[in-house]
Each structure stands twice: as C-alpha cells, then as structure tokens.
Amino acid sequence: MDTATPGNSPLLQDVHDALATVIDPELRRPITELGMVDAVHVSGDGKVNLTVLLTIAGCPLRDTITSDAESALAAVPGVTGVDVELKVMDQAQRDALKEKLRGPGGQRGIPFNQPGSLTKVYAVASGKGGVGKSSVTVNLATALAAQGLRVGIVDADVYGFSVPALMGITQAPTRVDDMILPPVAYGVKVISIGMFVTGNQPVAWRGPMLHRALEQFLTDVYFGDLDALFLDLPPGTGDIAISVAQLLPKAEILVVTTPQAAAADVAERAGAIATQTGQTVAGVIENMSYLEMPDGGRMELFGSGGGAVLTERLTAAVGADVPLLGQIPLDIKLREGGDTGAPIVLGQPDTAAAKALTGIAASLASKPRGLAGMKLGLQPR
C-alpha cells in the first residue's frame, strides 16, 4: 500500500519512478514489475519507508537489492532519508510471480522450443577435451552480453564442469519452489551441476541421469527471454550430445578444434553428428591457432590448417556451407582470465585473442533470428 502526506503525491510518483529502475539481480527485471514492492510511505519531511518482498527468506542477494533501492531513492530530489525493510513473499505471492514469469498457470516446459521463441541456441562441441571449448563458450557469451544481448549458459559438461570457475561464480542458484534462478555474472545467466556439488566432488552418473539433469536445467531454470543460449557440451558424441538433439532440436552446433590435423579428424565426428540428428552446424572455431612472437612473427605450435580442413569436410558431410568463424591465437592472458574468473574479452579486450573472440561473437550476433513458421498474431481485416 502506498501512503504519503498531503502535498507529497508528486514526490511519491518520483519515488515510484526511481523504484522502477531497481533491477532484481537474479531475474533481471524491475522489482516494481515483479510485485516485490509491498509498501511505500513518504513522510512530510521527505523520508521514504520502503518494504520489499524477497522471493525466499535466504535470498543471497538481499544486500544488493537493499543497496540498489537505497541508492535509487536517495538520488530523488526531495528525499531526505531512506529506510528499507525486507520481508518474504507468501505462497500466493510466489505463485503469482511464477505465473508472471512462466505465463498462465506457471507451466513448466522448455521455453526455447516454444513456437514464438527467438532465442538462438548454440551447442558448443569438440571432438576431444583440451581444445579450450569452455573458455571459448564463456568468452563468446560475455562478449555478446557486453553488446547488450540477453545471454545464458548451460554448463552441460556434467563430468568436467568448469564454467562457474571460468566466470568467477561462487553463488548458488536460488530455488523458488520448483523454479531455479541462475546466478548472473557479467550479464550472463549461468547454470551448472558444479553449483550443486560440494567442493571438487566428482559426479558419477549414468546416461539417464545425465539426460534428466540437462532436462531439469532447461525446464526448471528461469532464464527469461534470451537472445542467445550457449550449451557447453562434453567432448565427443555421447549421451549429452544426443540429449541436446532430443531436447533442443533447433540447437546449432559450434565445433571447436585446434589447427592440428589429428584434432580436426576427431572434431569432424562432433560436427558430423548433425547428419544423424538433423541439426545445423553453425560453424567451426579454431583455437590455439598460433603464438605471436615478440618480433611480430607467428609460431604455429600445433600446426596449421586444421580449421579450414574441418570446414571443408563438414560442408561435404552435412550438405550445407559450414564457415570457419575465426582463429584464436594462444595467449597467456586468456589462461589467466580463466583462472581468475575474468573473461579476456572484458579484462584484456585489446589482445589478439580477445579481438578474435569478439569478432566471432559479432558474427553470431549478426545472424538474424528468423520468423519463419512463427505465428505473428495478425488478423485479416
């Protein structure tokens, strides 16, 4: 309930306008839009008393919400003080929130398969481990987010999860009944099995459990309306690759390889799976292409030409053009950024590796989100 002393109505409106700029750090929407503002009182001397409803009692970002609200209100002319009280939503309020986010009835499902979804889904694959697939995924996602796009990552490498560490995420996801709110880092929403295990505990699951975990990530995790979703796949063409084809049939495959001929041979299998699943191969990314020397020359530690050879083979295998999206040089700063949870495209944007990754991200961002086959809701007159 909003209250204000007589003559303070204009100030109350300014307070509401300021609150509309406070974004929930997990849901990435204004707290006013999410029904989180329970009451606002503006006294005659300009002091604001605000009551905010948290989704759960142990909300990990309660301090962020409080400080953001205080900062927004303190900037309003005429406000002399701010007091924020935090309460917790009751079940009816949580149900209303879930319905607002998920649509009528709060129904579960994979939103990226809905007829109206414009999200581009990229499954980042490799033939074998150690080619830098996860680092490429993280840097592409953060580069797109830096361009203003709404981006998410599903760390689908259940056995070898690494995305949380690469992005410096230590926060656990927030559970609102059967809905999971993923942590956000650098503007990217991220979910990983690594957020649910203790320490460096290994995950020893068989195929059906892997499928169920991926399905739960896609149905229970609230990503909102994304422009792009990246799935960091485990190496090879095993259970997860098959599950992705089943759960996200429109996902496009990005194949990461090194210039080495042997690596390209193995990577070909990761892309050629599209011939069996009916998916599209969006392109090839060649990582560790060369090392820049102090004299300006290049040392090709892993040979050369693997990416180009792979694109030719995949083009022939899938019967459609598979481009070489870019070649990323070796750079110690790329490794350092991964170790510290600071992607190189943000921390060292002027390096050759960062420029290559940003260029690849730009090429993905320029791909149109097609409207073919979608209902536009137009009625004849």
Side-chain angles (χ1 to χ4, degrees), residues 327-351:
Q327 295 173 293
I328 307 166
L330 281 162
D331 194 323
I332 191 171
K333 293 184 176 63
L334 178 59
R335 191 270 303 165
E336 290 173 345
D339 288 344
T340 59
I344 191 174
V345 294
L346 303 179
Q348 301 284 340
D350 294 328
T351 60

Side-chain angles (χ1 to χ4, degrees), residues 239-251:
D239 292 305
I240 289 291
I242 296 171
S243 292
V244 168
Q246 294 173 339
L247 296 170
L248 294 167
K250 295 181 181 179

